[in-house]
Amino acid sequence: MCEKLANDRVGAYSYLYVGTYVEPEGDDPYGVVKYLLLPRTSWRSQAAHPHAFLSPDGKYVVFQSDFTGQPQVYVAYDFEYPEP
């Protein structure tokens, strides 16, 4: 089992999800996905794209957003991964 991060852009919004990848013995692998956050970015420039990154220990998600008017870096933490 391992944790993953996904970014999905739908229209003007970009949603961040976390997920758990499960490889059960004797069965097909599958993923369980859970909504994490909405970065609220404008997508006006490359610096405004979320560019989400999951820390190696899986405890932090670092992403960019310009919802304050200037591109800035944010960190999400204390989130729970979905149960397999």
Side-chain angles (χ1 to χ4, degrees), residues 7-17 35 38-39 41 43 50:
N7 182 20
D8 182 28
R9 183 170 181 203
V10 179
Y13 297 102
S14 174
Y15 301 93
L16 295 180
Y17 300 88
Y35 169 78
L38 174 65
T41 188
W43 293 91

Side-chain angles (χ1 to χ4, degrees), residues 7-38:
N7 182 20
D8 182 28
R9 183 170 181 203
V10 179
Y13 297 102
S14 174
Y15 301 93
L16 295 180
Y17 300 88
V18 291
T20 303
Y21 180 76
V22 183
E23 292 185 24
E25 189 174 320
D27 206 352
D28 291 334
Y30 64 94
V32 181
V33 180
K34 175 180 159 184
Y35 169 78
L36 177 62
L37 60 89
L38 174 65

